[in-house]
Tab-separated table of all heavy atoms in Angstrom:
chain	number	residue	atom	x	y	z
A	1	MET	N	6.951	17.570	-13.754
A	1	MET	CA	6.490	16.213	-13.565
A	1	MET	C	7.087	15.620	-12.190
A	1	MET	O	6.448	14.787	-11.627
A	1	MET	CB	6.955	15.329	-14.677
A	1	MET	CG	6.324	15.712	-15.983
A	1	MET	SD	4.474	15.753	-15.997
A	1	MET	CE	4.147	14.052	-15.792
A	2	VAL	N	8.228	16.036	-11.758
A	2	VAL	CA	8.849	15.441	-10.624
A	2	VAL	C	7.929	15.614	-9.372
A	2	VAL	O	7.693	14.686	-8.657
A	2	VAL	CB	10.293	16.042	-10.352
A	2	VAL	CG1	10.780	15.692	-8.955
A	2	VAL	CG2	11.224	15.475	-11.411
A	3	PRO	N	7.453	16.831	-9.111
A	3	PRO	CA	6.515	16.894	-7.938
A	3	PRO	C	5.274	16.002	-8.070
A	3	PRO	O	4.899	15.420	-7.086
A	3	PRO	CB	6.104	18.418	-7.888
A	3	PRO	CG	7.097	19.096	-8.646
A	3	PRO	CD	7.659	18.124	-9.682
A	4	TYR	N	4.782	15.931	-9.302
A	4	TYR	CA	3.627	15.027	-9.469
A	4	TYR	C	4.010	13.570	-9.216
A	4	TYR	O	3.250	12.849	-8.534
A	4	TYR	CB	3.045	15.231	-10.918
A	4	TYR	CG	2.085	14.131	-11.309
A	4	TYR	CD1	0.811	14.159	-10.819
A	4	TYR	CD2	2.515	13.096	-12.072
A	4	TYR	CE1	-0.133	13.120	-11.205
A	4	TYR	CE2	1.630	12.029	-12.413
A	4	TYR	CZ	0.336	12.115	-11.947
A	4	TYR	OH	-0.577	11.120	-12.302
A	5	PHE	N	5.131	13.175	-9.729
A	5	PHE	CA	5.542	11.780	-9.527
A	5	PHE	C	5.881	11.452	-8.081
A	5	PHE	O	5.579	10.445	-7.558
A	5	PHE	CB	6.715	11.416	-10.436
A	5	PHE	CG	6.430	11.312	-11.951
A	5	PHE	CD1	7.241	11.803	-12.870
A	5	PHE	CD2	5.252	10.652	-12.293
A	5	PHE	CE1	6.954	11.671	-14.252
A	5	PHE	CE2	4.930	10.489	-13.687
A	5	PHE	CZ	5.869	10.972	-14.636
A	6	LEU	N	6.459	12.464	-7.332
A	6	LEU	CA	6.771	12.223	-5.949
A	6	LEU	C	5.423	12.055	-5.151
A	6	LEU	O	5.400	11.146	-4.301
A	6	LEU	CB	7.542	13.381	-5.366
A	6	LEU	CG	9.041	13.463	-5.864
A	6	LEU	CD1	9.650	14.761	-5.340
A	6	LEU	CD2	9.770	12.180	-5.469
A	7	LYS	N	4.514	12.925	-5.451
A	7	LYS	CA	3.135	12.773	-4.778
A	7	LYS	C	2.503	11.431	-5.117
A	7	LYS	O	1.986	10.764	-4.240
A	7	LYS	CB	2.303	13.905	-5.193
A	7	LYS	CG	0.961	14.002	-4.553
A	7	LYS	CD	0.241	15.270	-5.013
A	7	LYS	CE	-1.153	15.274	-4.337
A	7	LYS	NZ	-1.897	16.469	-4.832
A	8	HIS	N	2.612	11.052	-6.338
A	8	HIS	CA	2.004	9.752	-6.805
A	8	HIS	C	2.771	8.653	-6.104
A	8	HIS	O	2.071	7.659	-5.691
A	8	HIS	CB	2.089	9.707	-8.332
A	8	HIS	CG	1.186	8.582	-8.853
A	8	HIS	ND1	-0.154	8.534	-8.739
A	8	HIS	CD2	1.518	7.439	-9.527
A	8	HIS	CE1	-0.633	7.488	-9.252
A	8	HIS	NE2	0.321	6.758	-9.805
A	9	ARG	N	4.054	8.680	-6.073
A	9	ARG	CA	4.782	7.629	-5.388
A	9	ARG	C	4.365	7.479	-3.896
A	9	ARG	O	4.218	6.342	-3.470
A	9	ARG	CB	6.342	7.888	-5.472
A	9	ARG	CG	7.128	6.722	-4.862
A	9	ARG	CD	8.628	6.955	-5.057
A	9	ARG	NE	9.116	8.087	-4.318
A	9	ARG	CZ	10.348	8.571	-4.311
A	9	ARG	NH1	11.192	7.982	-5.011
A	9	ARG	NH2	10.686	9.607	-3.599
A	10	SER	N	4.242	8.581	-3.203
A	10	SER	CA	3.856	8.526	-1.837
A	10	SER	C	2.416	7.924	-1.658
A	10	SER	O	2.126	7.142	-0.811
A	10	SER	CB	3.979	9.870	-1.084
A	10	SER	OG	2.873	10.636	-1.450
A	11	TYR	N	1.603	8.265	-2.630
A	11	TYR	CA	0.242	7.706	-2.624
A	11	TYR	C	0.276	6.138	-2.891
A	11	TYR	O	-0.354	5.357	-2.183
A	11	TYR	CB	-0.642	8.340	-3.706
A	11	TYR	CG	-1.886	7.614	-4.053
A	11	TYR	CD1	-2.983	7.651	-3.191
A	11	TYR	CD2	-1.980	6.802	-5.264
A	11	TYR	CE1	-4.205	6.935	-3.544
A	11	TYR	CE2	-3.149	6.144	-5.502
A	11	TYR	CZ	-4.181	6.174	-4.597
A	11	TYR	OH	-5.387	5.484	-4.943
A	12	LEU	N	1.089	5.740	-3.819
A	12	LEU	CA	1.200	4.337	-4.185
A	12	LEU	C	1.897	3.612	-2.952
A	12	LEU	O	1.405	2.471	-2.723
A	12	LEU	CB	2.068	4.082	-5.377
A	12	LEU	CG	1.410	4.539	-6.715
A	12	LEU	CD1	2.331	4.409	-7.920
A	12	LEU	CD2	0.156	3.688	-6.995
A	13	ARG	N	2.799	4.136	-2.284
A	13	ARG	CA	3.390	3.551	-1.118
A	13	ARG	C	2.409	3.350	-0.019
A	13	ARG	O	2.285	2.314	0.663
A	13	ARG	CB	4.585	4.267	-0.623
A	13	ARG	CG	5.844	4.177	-1.486
A	13	ARG	CD	6.962	4.875	-0.899
A	13	ARG	NE	8.203	4.618	-1.743
A	13	ARG	CZ	9.287	5.304	-1.631
A	13	ARG	NH1	9.443	6.303	-0.779
A	13	ARG	NH2	10.246	4.970	-2.442
A	14	ARG	N	1.523	4.338	0.218
A	14	ARG	CA	0.536	4.284	1.204
A	14	ARG	C	-0.455	3.157	0.862
A	14	ARG	O	-0.812	2.350	1.688
A	14	ARG	CB	-0.256	5.598	1.309
A	14	ARG	CG	-1.283	5.564	2.408
A	14	ARG	CD	-1.867	6.940	2.669
A	14	ARG	NE	-2.074	7.822	1.534
A	14	ARG	CZ	-3.166	7.774	0.704
A	14	ARG	NH1	-4.129	6.908	1.016
A	14	ARG	NH2	-3.291	8.619	-0.253
A	15	VAL	N	-0.906	3.117	-0.394
A	15	VAL	CA	-1.839	2.094	-0.896
A	15	VAL	C	-1.124	0.662	-0.648
A	15	VAL	O	-1.854	-0.226	-0.279
A	15	VAL	CB	-2.326	2.274	-2.259
A	15	VAL	CG1	-3.044	1.127	-2.838
A	15	VAL	CG2	-3.168	3.576	-2.333
A	16	LEU	N	0.069	0.617	-0.977
A	16	LEU	CA	0.816	-0.675	-0.874
A	16	LEU	C	0.770	-1.125	0.575
A	16	LEU	O	0.575	-2.290	0.855
A	16	LEU	CB	2.329	-0.540	-1.421
A	16	LEU	CG	3.155	-1.768	-1.249
A	16	LEU	CD1	2.597	-2.902	-2.072
A	16	LEU	CD2	4.581	-1.407	-1.674
A	17	ARG	N	1.122	-0.224	1.442
A	17	ARG	CA	1.116	-0.573	2.893
A	17	ARG	C	-0.231	-1.039	3.349
A	17	ARG	O	-0.400	-2.091	4.091
A	17	ARG	CB	1.630	0.595	3.788
A	17	ARG	CG	3.035	0.871	3.833
A	17	ARG	CD	3.444	1.931	4.929
A	17	ARG	NE	2.804	3.128	4.780
A	17	ARG	CZ	3.216	4.168	4.049
A	17	ARG	NH1	4.409	4.051	3.381
A	17	ARG	NH2	2.547	5.294	3.986
A	18	GLU	N	-1.326	-0.385	2.969
A	18	GLU	CA	-2.657	-0.749	3.313
A	18	GLU	C	-2.928	-2.168	2.708
A	18	GLU	O	-3.514	-3.038	3.452
A	18	GLU	CB	-3.695	0.182	2.639
A	18	GLU	CG	-3.641	1.574	3.359
A	18	GLU	CD	-4.552	2.575	2.715
A	18	GLU	OE1	-5.169	2.302	1.664
A	18	GLU	OE2	-4.501	3.805	3.136
A	19	LYS	N	-2.518	-2.436	1.490
A	19	LYS	CA	-2.802	-3.794	0.938
A	19	LYS	C	-1.923	-4.894	1.568
A	19	LYS	O	-2.420	-5.939	1.834
A	19	LYS	CB	-2.492	-3.751	-0.629
A	19	LYS	CG	-3.399	-2.886	-1.467
A	19	LYS	CD	-4.838	-3.326	-1.327
A	19	LYS	CE	-5.833	-2.483	-2.106
A	19	LYS	NZ	-7.154	-2.763	-1.810
A	20	GLU	N	-0.728	-4.491	1.965
A	20	GLU	CA	0.104	-5.520	2.660
A	20	GLU	C	-0.488	-5.816	3.980
A	20	GLU	O	-0.526	-6.996	4.410
A	20	GLU	CB	1.511	-4.935	2.836
A	20	GLU	CG	2.375	-4.981	1.556
A	20	GLU	CD	3.701	-4.375	1.691
A	20	GLU	OE1	3.910	-3.545	2.707
A	20	GLU	OE2	4.559	-4.646	0.847
A	21	GLU	N	-1.009	-4.829	4.678
A	21	GLU	CA	-1.702	-5.059	5.971
A	21	GLU	C	-2.920	-5.915	5.795
A	21	GLU	O	-3.224	-6.834	6.574
A	21	GLU	CB	-2.076	-3.722	6.685
A	21	GLU	CG	-2.730	-3.800	7.949
A	21	GLU	CD	-1.890	-4.529	9.069
A	21	GLU	OE1	-0.682	-4.553	8.906
A	21	GLU	OE2	-2.469	-5.112	10.006
A	22	GLU	N	-3.688	-5.589	4.763
A	22	GLU	CA	-4.867	-6.345	4.495
A	22	GLU	C	-4.519	-7.812	4.141
A	22	GLU	O	-5.129	-8.716	4.584
A	22	GLU	CB	-5.637	-5.671	3.257
A	22	GLU	CG	-6.948	-6.257	2.933
A	22	GLU	CD	-7.566	-5.548	1.727
A	22	GLU	OE1	-7.488	-4.245	1.582
A	22	GLU	OE2	-8.164	-6.237	0.857
A	23	ASN	N	-3.467	-8.038	3.325
A	23	ASN	CA	-3.009	-9.399	2.994
A	23	ASN	C	-2.563	-10.141	4.223
A	23	ASN	O	-2.757	-11.330	4.366
A	23	ASN	CB	-1.880	-9.300	1.947
A	23	ASN	CG	-2.370	-8.975	0.595
A	23	ASN	OD1	-3.609	-8.974	0.270
A	23	ASN	ND2	-1.478	-8.648	-0.283
A	24	ARG	N	-1.841	-9.463	5.125
A	24	ARG	CA	-1.324	-10.057	6.397
A	24	ARG	C	-2.606	-10.557	7.211
A	24	ARG	O	-2.604	-11.651	7.717
A	24	ARG	CB	-0.553	-9.007	7.140
A	24	ARG	CG	0.099	-9.689	8.416
A	24	ARG	CD	0.777	-8.625	9.311
A	24	ARG	NE	-0.153	-7.679	9.837
A	24	ARG	CZ	-1.023	-7.803	10.756
A	24	ARG	NH1	-1.219	-8.973	11.321
A	24	ARG	NH2	-1.873	-6.829	11.195
A	25	LYS	N	-3.594	-9.691	7.276
A	25	LYS	CA	-4.791	-10.101	8.072
A	25	LYS	C	-5.500	-11.307	7.423
A	25	LYS	O	-5.953	-12.236	8.044
A	25	LYS	CB	-5.830	-8.967	8.136
A	25	LYS	CG	-5.343	-7.899	9.139
A	25	LYS	CD	-6.289	-6.702	9.201
A	25	LYS	CE	-5.740	-5.621	10.118
A	25	LYS	NZ	-6.652	-4.458	10.148
A	26	VAL	N	-5.518	-11.287	6.110
A	26	VAL	CA	-6.152	-12.436	5.291
A	26	VAL	C	-5.318	-13.643	5.544
A	26	VAL	O	-5.883	-14.717	5.735
A	26	VAL	CB	-6.307	-12.117	3.797
A	26	VAL	CG1	-6.739	-13.278	3.050
A	26	VAL	CG2	-7.384	-10.933	3.678
A	27	ALA	N	-3.961	-13.528	5.494
A	27	ALA	CA	-3.191	-14.722	5.675
A	27	ALA	C	-3.330	-15.275	7.108
A	27	ALA	O	-3.421	-16.457	7.233
A	27	ALA	CB	-1.698	-14.327	5.427
A	28	GLU	N	-3.413	-14.445	8.148
A	28	GLU	CA	-3.670	-14.881	9.394
A	28	GLU	C	-4.994	-15.603	9.560
A	28	GLU	O	-5.113	-16.661	10.149
A	28	GLU	CB	-3.608	-13.744	10.439
A	28	GLU	CG	-2.368	-13.188	10.765
A	28	GLU	CD	-2.398	-11.982	11.709
A	28	GLU	OE1	-3.506	-11.591	12.086
A	28	GLU	OE2	-1.336	-11.322	11.907
A	29	SER	N	-6.012	-15.068	8.895
A	29	SER	CA	-7.325	-15.676	8.876
A	29	SER	C	-7.307	-17.085	8.243
A	29	SER	O	-7.927	-18.024	8.651
A	29	SER	CB	-8.327	-14.697	8.164
A	29	SER	OG	-9.605	-15.365	8.011
A	30	VAL	N	-6.592	-17.151	7.052
A	30	VAL	CA	-6.338	-18.392	6.386
A	30	VAL	C	-5.710	-19.407	7.290
A	30	VAL	O	-6.146	-20.619	7.423
A	30	VAL	CB	-5.687	-18.223	5.020
A	30	VAL	CG1	-5.216	-19.562	4.480
A	30	VAL	CG2	-6.579	-17.449	4.052
A	31	LEU	N	-4.658	-19.032	7.971
A	31	LEU	CA	-3.886	-19.988	8.865
A	31	LEU	C	-4.774	-20.368	10.000
A	31	LEU	O	-4.825	-21.592	10.363
A	31	LEU	CB	-2.658	-19.235	9.425
A	31	LEU	CG	-1.509	-19.037	8.361
A	31	LEU	CD1	-0.352	-18.365	8.987
A	31	LEU	CD2	-1.073	-20.381	7.787
A	32	MET	N	-5.540	-19.437	10.495
A	32	MET	CA	-6.463	-19.841	11.650
A	32	MET	C	-7.550	-20.795	11.071
A	32	MET	O	-7.915	-21.777	11.779
A	32	MET	CB	-7.108	-18.601	12.257
A	32	MET	CG	-6.221	-17.782	13.051
A	32	MET	SD	-6.784	-16.186	13.783
A	32	MET	CE	-8.536	-16.275	13.622
A	33	GLY	N	-7.984	-20.512	9.863
A	33	GLY	CA	-8.932	-21.474	9.323
A	33	GLY	C	-8.360	-22.882	9.062
A	33	GLY	O	-9.028	-23.874	9.309
């Protein structure tokens, strides 16, 4: 299970970074609005 969980953790971190970037762009858009 450890290799599976490590792989899943890196996948979740990548998705989190993508969502944080997406949220940052949306927040900038809201502020500009």
